[in-house]
Amino acid sequence: MTALLVLEDGTVLEGEAYGATGTAVGELVFITSMTGYQEIVTDPSFAGQMITFTQPMIGNYGVEVDASESDRPQARAVIVREGRNAAPAGRVGFSDWLAGHGVIGIQGLDTRMLTRRLRDGGTVRAAVCSDGTPVPQLLALIGGEPEMAGQALAGEVSCLRAEQLPALAPERAHVLVLDYGVKGSIVRILREQGARVTLLPWDATAEQVLELRPDGVLLGNGPGDPAALPGCVSEVRELVGQVPVFGICLGHQLLGRALGLETFKLRFGHRGANHPVLDVDTGRVLVTAQNHGFAVRVPDGGGDLETDFGPARVTHVSLYDGTVEGLALRELPAWSMQFHPEASPGPHDAREALERFVGTLTEATVAQA
Amino acid sequence: MPRRDDIAKIALIGSGPIVIGQACEFDYSGTQALRVLREEGYETVLINSNPATIMTDPGWADRTYLEPLDLEGVRAVLEAERPDALLPTLGGQTALNLASLLAESGTLDELGVELIGASYDAIHCAEDRDLFARTMESIDLRVPRSAIAHTLDEARAALSGELALPVVIRPAFTLGGQGGGFATTPAQFDEIVQRGLRESPISQILLEESVAGWGEFELEVIRDRNDNVVVICSIENVDPMGVHTGDSVTVAPAQTLTDREYQVLRDASAKVIRAVGVETGGSNVQFALNRDSGELVVIEMNPRVSRSSALASKATGYPIAKVATKLAIGYTLDEIPNDITGTTPASFEPALDYVVVKLPRFAFEKFPGADAELTTQMKSVGEAMGIGRSFCEAWGKAMRSRELDGIVRTEGSVAGGSWDRFDVIAARLLAGDSPQALADESKVHPWFLDEWSRVSDAERELAAAGGVSDAAGWRRLKRLGISDARIAELTGAAERAVRRARREAGVRPVYKAVDSCAAEVEAQAPYYYSAYEQEDELRRGDRESVVILGAGPNRIGQGIEFDYCCVQAAQTFRSLGYDAVMVNCNPETVSTDADSSDRLYFEPLTVEDVLEVIERERPIGVVAQFGGQTPLGLARRLEEDGVKLLGTPFEAIDVAEDRERFGSVLGELGLQAPAWGIAADVDEAAAIAARVGYPVLVRPSYVLGGREMRICYDESMLRSRTVQPASLIDRFVEDAIEVDVDAVCDGRRAWIGAVMQHVEEAGVHSGDSACVIPTLSLGDEIEREIRAQTRAIALALGVRGLINVQFAVQGSAVYVIEANPRASRTVPFVAKATGRNLVEAACRAALGLPVELAEDPPEHISVKAAVLPFQRFFGADPALGPEMRSTGEVMGIGPDFPTAFAKAERAAGRPLPSKGRVFLSVRDSDKPAATMLAALLQSLGFGLVATTGTARALQRIGIPVETVQKVTEGSPNVVDLIQDGSINLIINSPLGRGARTDGYEIREAAIRNQIPCITTLAGASAAVQAIAQARSVAPVALQTLHAAEVESHAAG
């Protein structure tokens, strides 16, 4: 069945349907990871987006029962060169699975051309259509879709009420996760490290958080523009200094804004599993998984900075474009990472940072006692 | 950390001759390393015995030594040059083993040379199986269950203990797994254990749990001194475990692993490189993965740049050897920019947006009698790579890049490791076999079968439809990697008609860049592959270009020599102001290093793929004379399509190849050739033979490397095998000296690069024969005559570029054997021996520019010796003959012939004995000459052993000799003597080849026991001269030799 990809500038690319048929509209991005399509598609940070995979062969190994990052696909559409539907024993075919979840796909088009266009011109709004909707109508739909900048999307993917999740190892800390669309593997790693996890919805107040007397708070990843979440930022400001705070991805951007820094939209984002990041303290390079369209801006590009909460510093720097990849306050326990230490999918180089988090909370608890 | 300033002079060890398991990938890594070291301002010293390499051209290192790669040879160079450091990780297993020897012998300490790139401990840890196994355990990984043995008894004990058949046997410290194997029966076990113990320089073997059938994966990993680790590429072997990775079909990136599975491998590879202790450089880690249980074992790790890392570099665009060299001299990964993007650092792991398939190239047709089953011992002689936007497209390109000589099966079993099993799979899918059934039978992952069935489905539909109806249909076929030729075959149309129809439908390829980052970063890479996509990325520029057609996969008869010529040609055209454009599909080579040309098209060398490149590129011309037979095979069809060949026109090639026309050229010039005729069948051949007189040389026309060539001494021999249509029947000039000449002609004048005298008599293929520059025993008059005849032929043919002419000199008669108006295998050897850049002169001639080339023979003596792969092909008769079977060559340089010859033999891994016992067994016609050699050997203190006939001949003239029984006479016999190691040299000239003769048994035993075995009297004579008179002389760098030549010519 013929499918179309229509860009906001009127470009129309033809391919074949993959996954579900229908029409989807969203922000078109690309990701360069060569493995982990299942984890990628189920990552809530992709809410509102349509994913172009630069890896041409997608769907080679099916979908596994327990490899998803959330309970459903979150991306609005997938764009692939060669979609497969292989279903090894015990797994489901990717195309079938997407179809079952109503996620629309298109295959057979020049995804490299598309990637180059997104790289040079920046991300665009687009539509994928396999139900025969006429192009002018698709363009109208695209026009009605808001730009990603300014969009608050955490509410669409957050849990709706608090959830208690027991530790998967002898319990040694209580971690509160603010769910802006947190990936399942972040929560799982915390629990495996001995944290009892309480998941709170994205709009929980600082008061609600502190009432639960957590040993630490993790500001999770999530979709959308951090600047569109001023309420979340002011709650984070209430938390800093009260309890150890660790931000990942959107959580990092929210912490950055809470400290008084600006965030901005990258031209086409960082999405892949190969981004080198310099750990300023150790001088070591971490190969990281990344998925973000916005970044924190620091004055003078790095080093030490003064914030509303005292001195802070840039702890991690992208070796790819020099953008901020990590922040830490010098005098208060608050720090954050733009990349994904949990990986999933991606290299495990930085996983230790997340694993260590639970341990540092335990030490803090011991020290307080 | 910045570049190290505490060292100034760095020595690099090359990998020596091309052998199975170690090919031009190390010329690629070595040239990259030398380029880096030069850019960084270090003085460089190179030691490599292989004259066919690009790295040994004097421009690459400051001091270049063509010396034997043994402890003595390398030590002599280190003593002469006193470098600060030695970089051993770019020269394969050979260089690594030498580094170990130099360290263990105390040479490095004594001379104050620091090992950089890999420490002795890291090398030792990776190479010593036992230590490696313990190291893996210490990081919670495991190697297959195993036992170490140093004797057969120890091995048998292990088998009755923790191990059970089948087991894998791996000798320690051998390259390409040489001497190893897979044993399923006790008899096989004993045989392979004994061979493995002999092969291992430390007499140590590893007996291993068989993981046959598990998935095999390789990761290329790099670490710097700050402990940063990056993974460059994952490679999945399509063949399950059991077939050596060098013989396996591989695909990159891995296709069937989930992210969780892949990250387990990635984590493990980082742990392995850290535990082994490679601090600055690249390593290759091989894993076996049980797909059902998830069990993972580490098969091996190479603490150096390897064949797989060359493949990974070409597959990703990430220059592993270059980065490894920068790490070795002090930089860290975050300090090194990625060449391709210019903006990202070397710590940015490559992301691929295409699929790469590598196929091995085999040459079993050259070794009748040898076991063609693929095992853990590598047997392929080359490889081809295809890049595509889908697996099938890459697969199709790689398959048609193989340029097969042998005939593939179209039916039969696909279980086990037969070299043509993938051709059989394709044929059986087309015939309707189910993918699942074939997956079960072959143990290949079902995903691959499903991919191939897409191709067979499309082919079946195409055959049924009889043609392609629309652009969408064309695009579908092309995106599946199906060639125009294949479409023609399936529809009964002519290939040109198919191409015309496809183009009329508007379906043409575009060119995509290999940029290491999946287009995430704007890249400058001039490295392209074709795809049937929408957007073309080629940045052509305005400069005029010249397209150079490469040589394709290495095979016997066509290898690194032609890559040398292509790279030289690219350098020349660049320096003359043109864009040099390379087309090739061999991932091992320097020519497919994007740095070698202005634009690289990694494409199959077929008419279709080359024409598309040419039409996109619009060059001023195409050069077909440097890539061996491959581009010549395309030349006619390219010309038919209106492509301009630069230099020698196809007409000249055709005249030289066409015996009739070439014969009349010789006739007009008044030159002699042996009488000949062209036979359509065996009866005609017999009639021609009767006319020209026996012996005759029989061969098919248009062949390279003497394929199917044989000498027949009588009619029954002639009739013993079929004669192909259009076979050439030549009178064979017996007992003649064979002479090779490489010359350059600009159409008005010809220059003689060198005249080479072969050591073996005519009848041994020139590629297998040793040869020497300058000639030794021709005499001035005959040499002048040969030079004059070469010039006359070059001018008469209208050559504009290189020409090679072969002569046989019998007494004072000079016969022209053949002329090839193209680069010959000996061009790089001539360049090293004389300092003359023949390729540059040929390129100038092709462009009509003035040529200047010195012609006098050099003062020093250079000997080229062939390296033969019989160790890999037990069962094939190692007697030299008219069919070429050598894989590589070495060079020995000296002030006299014996010294140079002895060095060449040492370099070839056949050091001549200085004492001990010599076994002689020669045919009657050789006996007079053999008795003289025997007398000389006896006077040198050698004991002599012979079978009855030869013994009697010696005793008659009073030479004491021990008589030994022939194999057919019972035990103990000569083979027993060879096996127990009491023979040090064998001189055996064969009566006939291949048959289960006594001579065959002797030669076979010599190969198995690695005793030097000389099968021609001329070769034996050179060897005895060398034993008697070789001197120990200090090594001289090529730069010094060539400068001396220039001076002496200036003075003269």
Side-chain angles (χ1 to χ4, degrees):
Chain A
M1 196 189 301
T2 304
L4 298 179
L5 172 66
V6 178
L7 309 187
E8 61 181 303
D9 67 359
T11 306
V12 179
L13 301 171
E14 198 180 304
E16 287 166 45
Y18 182 66
T21 55
T23 296
V25 179
E27 187 191 34
L28 183 63
V29 298
F30 70 87
I31 186 162
T32 64
S33 304
M34 293 187 286
T35 51
Y37 50 80
Q38 180 184 352
E39 292 90 329
I40 290 165
V41 169
T42 53
D43 177 348
S45 293
F46 281 107
Q49 293 175 324
M50 310 203 291
I51 306 171
T52 306
F53 287 92
T54 64
Q55 152 77 336
M57 309 297 299
I58 293 293
N60 288 3
Y61 50 76
V63 172
E64 294 181 285
V65 178
D66 57 349
S68 290
E69 286 296 324
S70 65
D71 58 359
R72 62 194 154 94
Q74 303 283 355
R76 293 205 182 148
V78 297
I79 295 98
V80 302
R81 173 55 154 78
E82 295 282 318
R84 294 293 179 264
N85 195 35
R91 298 182 195 167
V92 187
F94 188 50
S95 184
D96 290 346
W97 179 79
L98 289 172
H101 286 281
V103 177
I104 294 157
I106 181 171
Q107 65 166 328
L109 37 77
D110 191 343
T111 48
R112 184 171 163 90
M113 174 182 75
L114 203 54
T115 303
R116 282 161 52 89
R117 183 179 281 223
L118 296 176
R119 176 193 77 199
D120 294 337
T123 47
V124 295
R125 290 168 297 165
V128 174
C129 167
S130 51
D131 59 8
T133 308
V135 172
Q137 207 171 321
L138 294 170
L139 284 167
L141 284 173
I142 294 168
E145 175 74 13
E147 294 267 3
M148 185 54 77
Q151 276 207 67
L153 293 172
E156 294 183 14
V157 290
S158 168
C159 60
L160 299 173
R161 62 189 67 81
E163 280 179 45
Q164 289 285 342
L165 299 160
L168 297 170
E171 182 178 319
R172 50 179 184 152
H174 174 210
V175 172
L176 197 139
V177 173
L178 280 168
D179 180 11
Y180 310 111
V182 72
K183 286 168 69 184
S185 55
I186 294 179
V187 175
R188 197 192 66 244
I189 290 169
L190 293 174
R191 295 170 68 201
E192 282 169 356
Q193 290 299 314
R196 172 165 60 88
V197 171
T198 303
L199 222 52
L200 282 188
W202 68 290
D203 53 356
T205 61
E207 196 182 337
Q208 287 169 327
V209 170
L210 295 171
E211 213 164 78
L212 294 169
R213 309 184 62 81
D215 296 314
V217 173
L218 187 131
L219 311 174
N221 63 292
D225 183 349
L229 300 170
C232 297
V233 171
S234 40
E235 297 306 325
V236 173
R237 286 178 68 89
E238 295 300 317
L239 291 173
V240 173
Q242 300 297 311
V243 61
V245 173
F246 178 24
I248 294 176
C249 199
L250 179 67
H252 155 81
Q253 295 158 6
L254 293 174
L255 180 68
R257 292 189 73 88
L259 300 182
L261 300 168
E262 288 297 305
T263 51
F264 67 102
K265 190 171 193 298
L266 294 162
R267 191 166 43 152
F268 56 89
H270 292 178
R271 292 180 190 85
N274 62 342
H275 280 241
V277 164
L278 182 72
D279 180 332
V280 175
D281 287 346
T282 61
R284 297 266 297 267
V285 178
L286 304 170
V287 180
T288 65
Q290 302 208 1
N291 171 21
H292 60 109
F294 295 87
V296 175
R297 181 175 281 131
V298 293
D300 309 326
D304 286 319
L305 45 129
E306 203 47 50
T307 74
D308 301 352
F309 294 88
R313 64 203 185 88
V314 173
T315 56
H316 296 81
V317 177
S318 167
L319 288 170
Y320 163 62
D321 61 5
T323 52
V324 177
E325 290 287 346
L327 287 169
L329 285 178
R330 285 204 181 271
E331 292 162 4
L332 293 172
W335 65 100
S336 62
M337 290 165 188
Q338 178 61 74
F339 52 91
H340 285 266
E342 79 286 0
S344 194
H348 297 162
D349 290 18
R351 190 167 262 192
E352 208 193 336
L354 183 55
E355 292 169 352
R356 229 178 18 232
F357 175 55
V358 178
T360 53
L361 299 181
T362 311
E363 285 155 26
T365 315
V366 172
Q368 272 169 22
Chain B
M1 262 160 271
R3 167 195 185 280
R4 283 182 61 176
D5 291 329
D6 56 329
I7 48 178
K9 191 173 184 180
I10 300 174
L12 187 82
I13 306 181
S15 66
I18 304 303
V19 292
I20 288 172
Q22 208 165 263
C24 27
E25 62 267 21
F26 299 109
D27 198 19
Y28 165 57
S29 52
T31 50
Q32 281 207 341
L34 289 169
R35 191 183 277 137
V36 167
L37 295 176
R38 169 157 292 185
E39 281 166 5
E40 293 289 338
Y42 293 101
E43 191 181 350
T44 51
V45 178
L46 171 68
I47 315 154
N48 192 357
S49 56
N50 185 348
T53 50
I54 291 140
M55 62 159 83
T56 51
D57 248 26
W60 285 90
D62 294 306
R63 307 284 290 160
T64 306
Y65 288 88
L66 270 294
E67 290 293 316
L69 290 175
D70 53 19
L71 183 57
E72 183 189 341
V74 176
R75 191 192 154 97
V77 173
L78 296 182
E79 276 176 349
E81 290 288 342
R82 304 304 294 247
D84 302 307
L86 176 68
L87 181 56
T89 51
L90 285 311
Q93 195 65 42
T94 298
L96 217 52
N97 286 354
L98 278 166
S100 291
L101 278 176
L102 288 162
E104 283 160 10
S105 64
T107 308
L108 295 180
D109 286 343
E110 186 190 325
L111 299 175
V113 179
E114 179 189 344
L115 216 49
I116 58 172
S119 66
Y120 174 73
D121 289 342
I123 298 171
H124 189 64
C125 178
E127 296 292 338
D128 183 295
R129 304 297 311 183
D130 194 26
L131 182 57
F132 184 66
R134 278 187 276 123
T135 307
M136 292 303 100
E137 266 170 46
S138 74
I139 52 170
D140 299 320
L141 289 169
R142 75 172 186 94
V143 300
R145 272 183 287 282
S146 65
I148 302 280
H150 299 87
T151 64
L152 180 58
D153 286 342
E154 273 179 36
R156 284 177 173 157
L159 198 56
S160 55
E162 69 271 30
L163 284 169
L165 290 170
V167 295
V168 181
I169 296 144
R170 296 173 188 276
F173 288 96
T174 68
L175 58 98
Q178 181 163 313
F182 183 78
T184 47
T185 67
Q188 272 177 342
F189 179 82
D190 284 7
E191 187 195 331
I192 301 171
V193 163
Q194 284 172 307
R195 184 174 79 212
L197 288 169
R198 277 194 306 273
E199 292 279 348
S200 169
I202 58 167
S203 291
Q204 178 186 308
I205 53 165
L206 180 78
L207 308 168
E208 235 172 36
E209 159 193 8
S210 168
V211 287
W214 293 26
E216 185 170 1
F217 295 88
E218 294 172 65
L219 267 66
E220 293 303 319
V221 54
I222 291 187
R223 184 178 180 220
D224 70 14
R225 63 182 70 250
N226 281 357
D227 194 28
N228 296 313
V229 172
V230 294
V231 173
I232 305 309
C233 190
S234 64
I235 301 175
E236 176 165 7
N237 287 20
V238 177
D239 295 90
M241 285 297 300
V243 173
H244 189 279
T245 178
D247 285 354
S248 292
V249 171
T250 61
V251 54
Q255 294 291 319
T256 64
L257 293 180
T258 65
D259 182 64
R260 289 193 287 191
E261 289 167 331
Y262 170 65
Q263 299 305 336
V264 168
L265 297 186
R266 190 180 183 282
D267 290 346
S269 66
K271 275 158 80 174
V272 171
I273 195 170
R274 290 184 167 121
V276 168
V278 173
E279 284 173 355
T280 59
S283 295
N284 156 266
V285 189
Q286 289 171 34
F287 297 100
L289 176 71
N290 184 326
R291 293 178 185 270
D292 299 324
S293 68
E295 263 182 289
L296 181 74
V297 299
V298 182
I299 300 302
E300 67 173 39
M301 98 80 93
N302 290 303
R304 56 172 170 85
V305 167
S306 65
R307 176 179 48 258
S308 296
S309 60
L311 178 68
S313 295
K314 303 298 167 67
T316 60
Y318 186 105
I320 294 175
K322 186 182 281 183
V323 171
T325 305
K326 290 207 171 186
L327 297 177
I329 54 173
Y331 293 100
T332 52
L333 282 165
D334 49 315
E335 294 174 332
I336 304 169
N338 176 330
D339 278 359
I340 292 184
T341 61
T343 53
T344 54
S347 50
F348 197 79
E349 290 191 354
L352 279 62
D353 59 2
Y354 47 82
V355 181
V356 167
V357 170
K358 175 218 82 174
L359 296 178
R361 172 67 159 76
F362 295 96
F364 288 113
E365 67 274 7
K366 292 270 187 182
F367 301 94
D371 181 6
E373 179 82 7
L374 304 185
T375 62
T376 57
Q377 176 170 322
M378 185 170 159
K379 291 174 179 173
S380 61
V381 295
E383 56 191 37
M385 184 176 106
I387 310 178
R389 286 277 288 158
S390 68
F391 171 78
C392 289
E393 190 174 30
W395 178 265
K397 285 187 181 180
M399 285 294 266
R400 67 177 181 264
S401 294
R402 291 180 300 172
E403 295 181 59
L404 291 179
D405 285 334
I407 294 161
V408 296
R409 291 176 300 151
T410 53
E411 54 188 20
S413 167
V414 294
S418 54
W419 71 271
D420 56 357
R421 64 211 172 286
F422 296 105
D423 299 279
V424 177
I425 286 176
R428 285 179 52 184
L429 280 171
L430 193 60
D433 283 16
S434 84
Q436 188 57 52
L438 285 163
D440 291 342
E441 187 181 330
S442 63
K443 304 275 182 272
V444 169
H445 191 285
W447 184 83
F448 295 105
L449 274 302
D450 285 339
E451 290 298 310
W452 294 322
S453 72
R454 290 170 174 265
V455 177
S456 54
D457 289 350
E459 290 189 347
R460 217 177 296 116
E461 283 169 33
L462 174 65
V468 192
S469 55
D470 58 5
W474 280 113
R475 200 163 293 120
R476 174 180 173 224
L477 294 172
K478 299 314 283 184
R479 284 181 161 200
L480 283 167
I482 301 172
S483 66
D484 289 353
R486 179 66 175 160
I487 294 169
E489 192 182 339
L490 289 166
T491 57
E495 188 185 336
R496 289 185 82 183
V498 167
R499 184 145 41 248
R500 199 178 317 117
R502 170 170 62 76
R503 288 173 169 184
E504 277 165 11
V507 178
R508 301 285 292 262
V510 297
Y511 293 90
K512 297 282 188 191
V514 171
D515 62 8
S516 81
C517 61
E520 187 172 10
V521 184
E522 166 116 38
Q524 310 300 323
Y527 177 5
Y528 300 100
Y529 66 98
S530 67
Y532 284 83
E533 288 280 29
Q534 202 168 339
E535 184 187 47
D536 191 297
E537 294 173 25
L538 180 68
R539 278 189 275 196
R540 166 70 179 74
D542 296 330
R543 285 211 297 181
E544 289 182 322
S545 68
V546 174
V547 168
I548 301 157
L549 300 180
N554 277 10
R555 65 211 86 164
I556 287 173
Q558 186 167 306
I560 190 170
E561 302 83 359
F562 298 107
D563 203 57
Y564 166 91
C565 294
C566 291
V567 172
Q568 281 286 352
Q571 285 175 357
T572 304
F573 289 121
R574 277 178 127 167
S575 70
L576 293 172
Y578 297 92
D579 273 0
V581 174
M582 190 73 71
V583 186
N584 201 2
C585 56
N586 181 346
E588 301 169 79
T589 55
V590 180
S591 66
T592 52
D593 181 344
D595 286 344
S596 294
S597 56
D598 294 291
R599 281 183 293 288
L600 165 67
Y601 292 83
F602 207 104
E603 290 285 285
L605 288 158
T606 69
V607 174
E608 172 187 349
D609 300 286
V610 169
L611 274 179
E612 294 292 354
V613 169
I614 290 168
E615 301 222 352
R616 184 69 185 81
E617 186 61 44
R618 303 260 166 210
I620 60 157
V622 173
V623 193
Q625 60 177 287
F626 298 118
Q629 202 64 33
T630 296
L632 287 192
L634 301 175
R636 178 200 301 270
R637 293 168 68 195
L638 293 178
E639 263 194 351
E640 278 170 9
D641 265 273
V643 174
K644 181 175 189 282
L645 289 186
L646 273 187
T648 309
F650 181 77
E651 174 68 6
I653 300 163
D654 200 43
V655 170
E657 296 271 8
D658 181 323
R659 264 342 215 15
E660 206 106 21
R661 297 174 69 191
F662 187 60
S664 49
V665 169
L666 292 183
E668 281 162 27
L669 296 172
L671 305 183
Q672 275 192 94
W676 61 281
I678 294 175
D681 56 32
V682 73
D683 291 324
E684 279 189 35
I688 294 165
R691 171 168 60 80
V692 302
Y694 285 94
V696 288
L697 191 63
V698 182
R699 58 180 155 160
S701 41
Y702 281 101
V703 296
L704 192 80
R707 187 82 194 86
E708 303 267 318
M709 196 186 278
R710 60 200 176 106
I711 298 166
C712 301
Y713 286 86
D714 54 35
E715 189 169 340
S716 67
M717 218 170 147
L718 179 69
R719 288 182 180 278
S720 68
R721 273 160 69 180
T722 56
V723 171
Q724 290 183 20
S727 279
L728 295 172
I729 313 295
D730 283 288
R731 168 71 195 245
F732 174 61
V733 187
E734 267 192 299
D735 297 324
I737 297 170
E738 191 163 340
V739 175
D740 243 286
V741 185
D742 280 320
V744 176
C745 179
D746 68 357
R748 295 176 298 275
R749 190 190 150 182
W751 290 261
I752 305 300
V755 182
M756 290 158 271
Q757 179 175 349
H758 289 217
V759 170
E760 282 82 6
E761 60 265 51
V764 170
H765 191 278
S766 62
D768 285 357
S769 175
C771 76
V772 56
I773 297 175
T775 59
L776 298 176
S777 58
L778 286 184
D780 289 347
E781 197 176 320
I782 288 188
E783 172 142 356
R784 262 198 303 278
E785 177 64 27
I786 283 173
R787 285 171 175 255
Q789 290 196 9
T790 303
R791 286 194 180 94
I793 292 168
L795 288 167
L797 289 176
V799 169
R800 279 175 178 75
L802 282 161
I803 181 170
N804 169 270
V805 187
Q806 285 171 35
F807 298 92
V809 179
Q810 192 181 42
S812 59
V814 174
Y815 296 92
V816 178
I817 303 296
E818 60 179 285
N820 288 299
R822 58 165 172 81
S824 76
R825 212 173 286 111
T826 44
V827 164
F829 169 59
V830 171
K832 310 305 151 77
T834 64
R836 286 166 204 155
N837 193 334
L838 268 54
V839 175
E840 184 191 8
C843 293
R844 295 181 67 93
L847 290 171
L849 297 171
V851 174
E852 195 45 66
L853 204 61
E855 295 189 277
D856 299 338
E859 293 297 318
H860 60 278
I861 307 288
S862 302
V863 172
K864 184 205 82 169
V867 175
L868 294 136
F870 297 115
Q871 290 290 337
R872 302 280 177 162
F873 299 105
F874 293 131
D877 191 334
L880 299 181
E883 174 151 355
M884 177 169 167
R885 291 183 296 174
S886 60
T887 54
E889 64 197 57
V890 292
M891 176 167 172
I893 301 173
D896 54 56
F897 176 72
T899 304
F901 185 81
K903 267 195 187 176
E905 288 296 298
R906 248 174 71 203
R910 305 179 290 250
L912 295 165
S914 54
K915 57 182 188 301
R917 297 206 295 177
V918 180
F919 171 78
L920 288 137
S921 167
V922 299
R923 58 177 170 232
D924 284 348
S925 58
D926 285 338
K927 278 188 177 123
T931 51
M932 292 182 51
L933 288 183
L936 190 52
L937 282 165
Q938 195 227 347
S939 72
L940 290 166
F942 283 87
L944 300 174
V945 183
T947 48
T948 329
T950 310
R952 196 172 299 133
L954 295 178
Q955 281 155 350
R956 246 181 243 135
I957 56 165
I959 301 174
V961 57
E962 182 185 332
T963 308
V964 63
Q965 295 193 99
K966 290 185 175 174
V967 179
T968 46
E969 293 167 349
S971 251
N973 58 44
V974 53
V975 169
D976 297 319
L977 284 187
I978 293 168
Q979 270 170 5
D980 69 27
S982 61
I983 299 287
N984 306 85
L985 176 67
I986 295 161
I987 297 172
N988 172 254
S989 60
L991 277 167
R993 252 179 85 193
R996 294 266 151 193
T997 57
D998 215 46
Y1000 169 84
E1001 300 276 355
I1002 291 166
R1003 295 188 291 273
E1004 172 79 6
I1007 291 296
R1008 287 184 186 268
N1009 293 279
Q1010 292 182 290
I1011 312 290
C1013 175
I1014 302 172
T1015 64
T1016 66
L1017 251 284
S1021 166
V1024 175
Q1025 272 184 60
I1027 290 169
Q1029 284 151 9
R1031 290 181 286 153
S1032 175
V1033 292
V1036 184
L1038 281 194
Q1039 287 80 2
T1040 306
L1041 278 176
H1042 295 164
E1045 285 301 323
V1046 171
E1047 263 170 43
S1048 80
H1049 291 145

